[in-house]
Amino acid sequence: MKLKIKRRDLESIEKHALRVFPLECCGLLVGRAARGIFNVEEVVQANNIHESEVSFEADAELVYRAIDAAGAEGLELIGIYHSHPNTRAYISAADAEVMKLWPNVAWLVAGVVGEQVVEKKAFVLREGKVTELKIEIG
Ligand SMILES: [Zn+2]
């Protein structure tokens, strides 16, 4: 299983993570998903309404609007991204809880340390199990 994302979309996520550092950033990945391949077509930045260094929640209204807009373009919400300030890219205990509400959706996590994105990883919860997705850029 893999997450395919264009370099410029990945760069916009990195810029977002650095801009709001040391808070967590979050946003949505819009595109198409089939047979374990998540194809990102668009990145939608969201505000982290927690304004927290250790947690995130995207503005619900923005999420609904983005899902509507994606549907109008024949796309769907295929993923969520967020950053981990001063730590690595992994699924935290809190992430694992929220993930249960968003199964079969790709979770892209960016670890930001020393004003640099040091690690990016993607995961999906499928059939009750968290699996890492290979990130393919291009
Ligand atoms: Zn997290």
Side-chain angles (χ1 to χ4, degrees):
M1 290 198 283
K2 62 184 172 185
L3 178 81
K4 291 174 76 171
I5 185 164
K6 293 182 212 79
R7 184 169 301 279
R8 67 157 196 274
D9 285 338
L10 203 52
E11 282 170 0
S12 97
I13 290 170
E14 292 188 3
K15 279 189 193 138
H16 187 194
L18 295 173
R19 195 173 71 239
V20 303
F21 184 88
L23 302 181
E24 286 197 13
C25 77
C26 63
L28 309 174
L29 306 175
V30 168
R32 293 186 176 89
R35 294 180 297 279
I37 299 175
F38 296 84
N39 236 314
V40 180
E41 299 286 347
E42 284 166 33
V43 168
V44 181
Q45 296 189 4
N47 287 327
N48 178 0
I49 61 170
H50 289 179
E51 295 188 7
S52 165
E53 299 178 16
V54 292
S55 73
F56 78 97
E57 184 178 342
D59 171 25
E61 207 181 303
L62 179 139
V63 175
Y64 293 128
R65 274 204 311 269
I67 290 172
D68 268 1
E73 295 175 66
L75 303 173
E76 55 186 334
L77 177 69
I78 59 160
I80 297 169
Y81 73 85
H82 74 287
S83 62
H84 279 178
N86 295 315
T87 185
R88 300 175 57 100
Y90 67 104
I91 295 298
S92 70
D95 290 338
E97 283 305 306
V98 183
M99 232 178 174
K100 290 177 189 164
L101 306 174
W102 297 92
N104 304 313
V105 163
W107 277 58
L108 178 62
V109 187
V112 187
V113 178
E115 297 188 20
Q116 273 189 27
V117 176
V118 293
E119 190 174 48
K120 293 174 290 272
K121 286 192 174 181
F123 306 88
V124 66
L125 177 66
R126 185 160 278 187
E127 289 160 11
K129 216 175 107 221
V130 176
T131 306
E132 187 169 348
L133 300 171
K134 183 176 181 288
I135 299 176
E136 190 177 294
I137 301 165

